[in-house]
Every structure is written in structure tokens, then in C-alpha cells.
Amino acid sequence: MALLEGRTAAITGSAQGIGYSIAQALAAERANIVIADINEDAAKEAAAGLGIGERAIGVGANVAEGADIDNLIGATTEAFGSLDVFVNNAGITRDATMRKMTEDMFDAVIGVHLRGTWLGTRAASQAMRAQDSGGSIINISSISGKVGLLGQTNYSAAKAGIVGLTKAAAKEVGFADVRVNSVMPGLIRTPMTESMREDIKEARLKEIALGRMGESAEIAQAVLFLASDMSSYITGAVIEVTGGRHM
């Protein structure tokens, strides 16, 4: 039997990039998939692109808004009857040194990453507790949250906060068999990283033991592990998928 047969997974920020790779990996293991994205048309197009018919839907959601998260959870349970896996993946960047970073730039990144992950974790865990069958919540952090990166005080703070949030939430909801874990990507090949300056990219590659960028599918496999029963005794954990960067 497929690892996620009959289960339902909602993934935020999943119309493209790492989020879409996660949706593909979970769909391949027979999960029902809810693609959530701030761009509703893109979400619906991405859901159709999975090629699994009625087992996938697209929903528009701004993860920094509690009402949107509640609507996402409601749409998920209405379509498929349950919520078994929830992946907080949505993210943005507003990079600048502190001297040049505005309060709006800081607040925007904290709002999507940290507030959004808190809202998603809170709502998803409540839904999973109500259905009395447990579940798995996976929060996407970043190597930036472990070591801090130049020009990313907002992003580094948000991603470090996600680690603390994950561990605290895991302690709160473990009694209900709801597991909360985090995946920490390193330098992953995405449209965002492909647009990096070559000198910065080369400098970061030198920090990686495996000597290469990671692929979105490699993040997706870590998420699949945490979403499935293969990780049934793991909660409050952070899995680094960094190729050995900043060990």
C-alpha cells in the first residue's frame, strides 16, 4: 500500500518551487492534495497539473491572515473529510542589510513565515485533534535560521522562530498523537536561488560538504518521511537537508 493512501495533505505556498515538489511527492504516495497559494488561479492550475483528478484541489490563501487559514482548513475537510498532513511552506524574502531594511520589510517576512506558520500550526492541530485520529504538521525552516545570513535579519529571525515554535507546539499537542516537526533546507535550486549573484552562489557552495545545490525533490522526500508512519515516533525534530552545510 502507498505510504499516504487515503490521507489528505494541505501544503501552503505550493503552486511552485519546493512546495509543488512536496505536493508531487505526497500525491505519488496516494494522498489527497490541497495546493494553497496566495494566487488562487496559480493554486488551481498547479492542482490540475498534478494529474490526479479530483484528488487535488487548489485554494487561495494568504497565510498571514487567520481567516484565510481557517478557510483553507474548512475547504480541505469539506473536500476530503479530514486533514492528516499540513505543511507550512509559504515564504517570501525582503533581503537588505539592517541599515537599509524598513520596518515594513521586516514585518512582511515575519508575517508570512513566523505568524503564518503559527496560524497554520494552530489551526491544523485543532482540526486534527477534533477528528481524533492524529496527524503530522511539518514546518519548513531554513539554514538561515540556524546560522544567520548577511542581509537576512528578518528571514533568519523568522526561520529560527519556526524551530522554537515547532518544538513548543510538539509538546502541546503530542498527547493527541499530533506530531510537529521541521525540515531545514540549505541551498536548494529554486527560481529564488537561481537569480542569486554568481559570486554569492559560489561562496555558499564552498560551505557545502557535498559540493552542490540541493534539489526541491530532496526536500520533498524529507517531508514525505515526516508525513508518513515511517516517522511515527518522531516529534519536535528538525531535519537538516543541507548537504552538510554549516555542520
Side-chain angles (χ1 to χ4, degrees), residues 69-95:
I69 291 292
D70 290 341
N71 289 338
L72 169 59
I73 300 293
T76 300
T77 55
E78 180 179 353
F80 300 114
S82 68
L83 174 65
D84 307 290
V85 178
F86 194 87
V87 184
N88 285 297
N89 168 76
I92 61 172
T93 55
R94 298 288 186 271
D95 293 354

Side-chain angles (χ1 to χ4, degrees), residues 49-112:
L50 289 174
I52 59 175
E54 295 182 353
R55 286 201 297 114
I57 62 171
V59 177
N62 178 351
V63 298
E65 299 293 335
D68 281 20
I69 291 292
D70 290 341
N71 289 338
L72 169 59
I73 300 293
T76 300
T77 55
E78 180 179 353
F80 300 114
S82 68
L83 174 65
D84 307 290
V85 178
F86 194 87
V87 184
N88 285 297
N89 168 76
I92 61 172
T93 55
R94 298 288 186 271
D95 293 354
T97 61
M98 284 195 294
R99 183 171 63 87
K100 296 180 179 179
M101 185 179 293
T102 66
E103 291 182 25
D104 285 346
M105 293 167 70
F106 184 86
D107 290 344
V109 170
I110 293 294
V112 171

Side-chain angles (χ1 to χ4, degrees), residues 73 77 81-83 122-135 175-176 178:
I73 300 293
T77 55
S82 68
L83 174 65
R122 182 180 67 164
S125 63
Q126 289 173 345
M128 291 170 181
R129 288 171 61 180
Q131 65 197 23
D132 199 30
S133 57
F175 75 94
V178 176

Side-chain angles (χ1 to χ4, degrees), residues 23-239:
Q24 289 177 308
L26 273 52
E29 292 297 333
R30 298 290 300 169
N32 303 315
I33 300 295
V34 180
I35 299 280
D37 199 271
I38 196 168
N39 184 329
E40 184 174 2
D41 290 340
K44 291 180 177 180
E45 183 177 347
L50 289 174
I52 59 175
E54 295 182 353
R55 286 201 297 114
I57 62 171
V59 177
N62 178 351
V63 298
E65 299 293 335
D68 281 20
I69 291 292
D70 290 341
N71 289 338
L72 169 59
I73 300 293
T76 300
T77 55
E78 180 179 353
F80 300 114
S82 68
L83 174 65
D84 307 290
V85 178
F86 194 87
V87 184
N88 285 297
N89 168 76
I92 61 172
T93 55
R94 298 288 186 271
D95 293 354
T97 61
M98 284 195 294
R99 183 171 63 87
K100 296 180 179 179
M101 185 179 293
T102 66
E103 291 182 25
D104 285 346
M105 293 167 70
F106 184 86
D107 290 344
V109 170
I110 293 294
V112 171
H113 288 276
L114 190 52
R115 174 183 168 87
T117 297
W118 179 76
L119 288 169
T121 300
R122 182 180 67 164
S125 63
Q126 289 173 345
M128 291 170 181
R129 288 171 61 180
Q131 65 197 23
D132 199 30
S133 57
S136 177
I137 299 170
I138 300 111
N139 298 327
I140 305 301
S141 180
S142 167
I143 190 65
S144 182
K146 177 182 178 181
V147 301
L149 294 179
L150 180 67
Q152 289 192 325
T153 51
N154 50 4
Y155 188 80
S156 295
K159 290 304 194 180
I162 287 173
V163 172
L165 186 160
T166 295
K167 292 177 180 293
K171 291 181 178 179
E172 288 192 17
V173 300
F175 75 94
D177 199 28
V178 176
R179 298 182 294 109
V180 189
N181 293 291
S182 180
V183 171
M184 181 178 283
L187 187 63
I188 306 301
R189 196 184 315 278
T190 65
M192 186 187 303
T193 55
E194 287 298 284
S195 65
M196 289 169 55
R197 277 174 27 198
E198 284 302 317
D199 59 329
I200 295 175
K201 190 183 301 184
E202 288 301 317
R204 292 186 178 176
L205 283 171
K206 291 177 181 178
E207 301 169 344
I208 301 171
L210 293 183
R212 65 172 177 85
M213 297 177 71
E215 303 295 338
S216 294
E218 293 174 303
I219 304 300
Q221 289 302 306
V223 172
L224 173 60
F225 169 70
L226 291 173
S228 75
D229 289 341
M230 291 189 295
S231 60
S232 58
Y233 199 54
I234 298 176
T235 195
V238 180
I239 297 181

